[in-house]
């Protein structure tokens, strides 16, 4: 794998900020709300990006099932996600929300996607749970793809088919809990964030990330023009009914162009210091912003300005989390 691609780090920051605005704000202006209100699909972009980068990093290492290498992979994944995560779980249990012992154990082990959503201590934990399961199966998934030479096109088509049928799955594909929760389908297409359906949603994104990463390198004239066409289509899909079905696919091709392509205006923007910094704190921001959201702080009696201040507070807390936890704490030495 190449050294860090700053534009992809910057993209992660923009995506995390999109999720924060989605959770914090509702706009009466339909044009703005069509963009902000589709922020839930940004989580799928996280999954696609993660799968893409893991594939280009490990496609050589996972051609064979070497369990020592797989063990190192798991340790690195734990080091990446667990310190900030478990500290946030402990903080929520101690200061923000009561939890049963079983609920604490389910959250501590990142197994929420198998249980009733009343166990979620923080709504965004659903995606960390499903991605953790994908981390566990990723070495074997990639080995199967490489060993049996499964074509990228099959993975991409399988992902799209799975995304299309997901909204028609039952709501209650999870284990029982102490409290029965009545949850209907989300009003937003593909916004499934609990139970096994959320895991299938994540696996679908991983199929896309792996499939696009393993496509032959793009070498064509006017590749920057093609990238700008992809961006235009991406934005257009926000205003099309069920257009979010194609946003993860478009984001996958955008990621591949950013990874392999020449310098362009999008890369230059994503590599600016501010956006790159936002990318560095994006994981902490993803976890912390909803904790701030749930406190219903009122700093100023203006809805949008108050939300901007709370998002700014989330950014500040995320900076400290990144500096003091993400950069300092490691569970394994690898």
């Amino acid at each position: 794998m190449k050294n860090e691609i700053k534009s992809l780090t910057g993209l992660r920051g923009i995506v995390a900020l999109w999720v924060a605005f989605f959770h914090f704000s509702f706009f009466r202006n339909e044009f703005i709300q069509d963009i902000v209100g589709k922020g839930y699909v940004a989580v799928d972009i996280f999954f696609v990006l993660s799968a893409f980068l893991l594939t280009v990093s490990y496609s050589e290492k996972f051609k064979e099932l070497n369990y020592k290498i797989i063990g190192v992979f798991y340790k690195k994944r734990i080091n990446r996600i667990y310190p900030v995560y478990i500290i946030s779980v402990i903080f929520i249990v101690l200061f923000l929300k009561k939890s049963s012992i079983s609920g604490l154990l389910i959250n501590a082990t990142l197994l929420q996607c198998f249980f009733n959503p009343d166990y979620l201590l923080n709504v965004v934990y659903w995606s960390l749970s499903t991605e953790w399961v994908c981390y566990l199966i990723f070495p074997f998934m990639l080995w199967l793809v490489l060993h049996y030479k499964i074509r990228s096109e099959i993975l991409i088509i399988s992902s799209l088919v799975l995304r299309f049928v997901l909204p028609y799955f039952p709501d209650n594909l999870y284990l029982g809990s102490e409290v029965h929760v009545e949850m209907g389908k989300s009003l937003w297409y593909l916004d499934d964030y609990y139970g096994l359906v959320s895991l299938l949603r994540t696996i679908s994104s991983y199929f896309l990330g792996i499939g696009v990463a393993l496509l032959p390198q793009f070498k064509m004239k006017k590749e920057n023009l093609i990238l700008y066409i992809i961006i235009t289509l991406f934005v257009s899909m926000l205003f099309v009914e069920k257009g979010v079905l194609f946003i993860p696919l478009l984001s996958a091709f955008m990621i591949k162009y950013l990874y392999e392509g020449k310098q362009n205006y999008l890369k230059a923007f994503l590599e600016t210091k501010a956006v790159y910094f936002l990318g560095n704190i994006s994981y902490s921001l993803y976890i912390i912003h909803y904790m701030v959201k749930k406190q219903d702080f009122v700093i100023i009696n203006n809805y949008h300005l108050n939300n901007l201040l709370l998002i700014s507070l989330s950014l500040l807390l995320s900076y400290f989390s990144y500096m003091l936890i993400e950069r300092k704490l490691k569970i394994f030495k690898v």
Side-chain angles (χ1 to χ4, degrees):
M1 180 182 173
K2 301 178 183 179
N3 294 328
E4 182 190 11
I5 307 299
K6 287 190 173 183
S7 58
L8 294 182
T9 301
L11 178 64
R12 186 182 289 113
I14 296 296
V15 170
L17 195 60
W18 190 12
V19 174
F21 272 98
F22 166 68
H23 282 141
F24 269 101
S25 297
F26 177 84
F27 292 88
R28 292 182 181 178
N29 182 291
E30 290 186 12
F31 178 82
I32 297 175
Q33 185 56 29
D34 274 338
I35 297 173
V36 174
K38 302 288 174 49
Y40 61 86
V41 79
V43 181
D44 298 271
I45 300 175
F46 277 133
F47 296 147
V48 171
L49 178 57
S50 179
F52 180 94
L53 291 176
L54 290 177
T55 301
V56 297
S57 298
Y58 287 94
S59 56
E60 290 298 321
K61 296 177 182 178
F62 289 159
K63 283 183 176 179
E64 303 293 337
L65 286 179
N66 184 315
Y67 289 95
K68 183 177 180 180
I69 294 175
I70 292 173
V72 172
F73 169 80
Y74 289 152
K75 289 176 181 178
K76 287 183 176 180
R77 294 298 90 204
I78 291 172
N79 281 349
R80 175 70 185 98
I81 69 170
Y82 209 71
V84 171
Y85 171 75
I86 195 61
I87 289 173
S88 73
V89 168
I90 293 169
F91 184 86
I92 289 173
V93 170
L94 290 178
F95 301 109
L96 303 181
K97 187 176 182 179
K98 292 182 180 180
S99 174
S100 63
I101 296 298
S102 57
L104 178 59
L105 289 174
I106 288 169
N107 279 270
T109 52
L110 281 165
L111 296 177
Q112 298 96 317
C113 66
F114 297 108
F115 293 89
N116 195 300
D118 66 335
Y119 281 121
L120 284 171
L121 292 175
N122 183 341
V123 165
V124 302
Y125 286 171
W126 75 266
S127 61
L128 303 182
S129 173
T130 59
E131 184 146 40
W132 172 243
V133 175
C134 284
Y135 286 160
L136 293 177
I137 65 176
F138 176 79
F140 308 97
M141 190 189 306
L142 185 57
W143 176 80
L144 283 170
V145 170
L146 297 173
H147 184 76
Y148 291 101
K149 299 179 180 178
I150 299 173
R151 293 181 63 87
S152 295
E153 295 84 351
I154 293 176
L155 290 172
I156 293 169
I157 292 171
S158 298
S159 172
L160 292 175
V161 170
L162 185 55
R163 285 186 176 279
F164 181 80
V165 302
L166 273 180
Y168 304 100
F169 275 65
D171 292 340
N172 58 346
L173 296 179
Y174 47 74
L175 300 177
S177 71
E178 298 164 356
V179 180
H180 180 66
V181 174
E182 294 287 345
M183 296 189 72
K185 281 289 184 182
S186 169
L187 295 176
W188 294 298
Y189 190 68
L190 286 187
D191 189 21
D192 296 301
Y193 57 92
Y194 50 87
L196 293 180
V197 176
S198 67
L199 178 57
L200 292 174
R201 172 183 175 183
T202 308
I203 290 173
S204 170
S205 296
Y206 263 66
F207 282 172
L208 269 182
I210 295 170
V212 172
L214 293 177
L215 284 173
Q217 185 171 354
F218 293 156
K219 291 182 179 179
M220 56 187 71
K221 296 179 179 180
K222 299 182 179 180
E223 64 179 41
N224 285 346
L225 176 61
I226 295 172
L227 175 61
Y228 298 141
I229 291 173
I230 291 172
I231 296 170
T232 302
L233 289 172
F234 181 103
V235 175
S236 300
M237 288 299 100
L238 296 173
F239 304 95
V240 176
E241 185 180 5
K242 299 182 180 180
V244 291
L245 175 70
F246 302 102
I247 285 179
L249 175 63
L250 292 168
S251 70
F253 284 112
M254 189 188 309
I255 289 164
K256 190 170 181 68
Y257 271 105
L258 289 171
Y259 181 77
E260 297 177 350
K262 302 174 183 177
Q263 192 66 18
N264 52 61
Y265 291 120
L266 179 61
K267 267 193 173 186
F269 168 71
L270 294 174
E271 291 173 357
T272 58
K273 288 184 178 180
V275 178
Y276 177 68
F277 168 77
L278 187 62
N280 282 327
I281 67 169
S282 59
Y283 177 56
S284 287
L285 176 62
Y286 184 68
I287 290 178
I288 288 172
H289 83 274
Y290 203 80
M291 294 167 64
V292 173
K293 160 70 177 174
K294 290 298 290 181
Q295 305 319 302
D296 295 322
F297 294 127
V298 178
I299 301 173
I300 187 170
N301 288 321
N302 180 293
Y303 175 76
H304 291 298
L305 184 55
N306 189 66
N307 285 335
L308 282 174
L309 290 173
L310 293 179
I311 291 173
S312 298
L313 174 62
S314 301
L315 289 167
L316 179 62
L317 294 174
S318 300
Y319 167 73
F320 287 117
S321 173
Y322 171 70
M323 296 299 292
L324 300 177
I325 302 174
E326 288 190 62
R327 293 185 59 177
K328 301 289 185 182
L329 296 184
K330 303 295 178 187
I331 296 173
F332 295 105
K333 290 184 178 180
V334 288

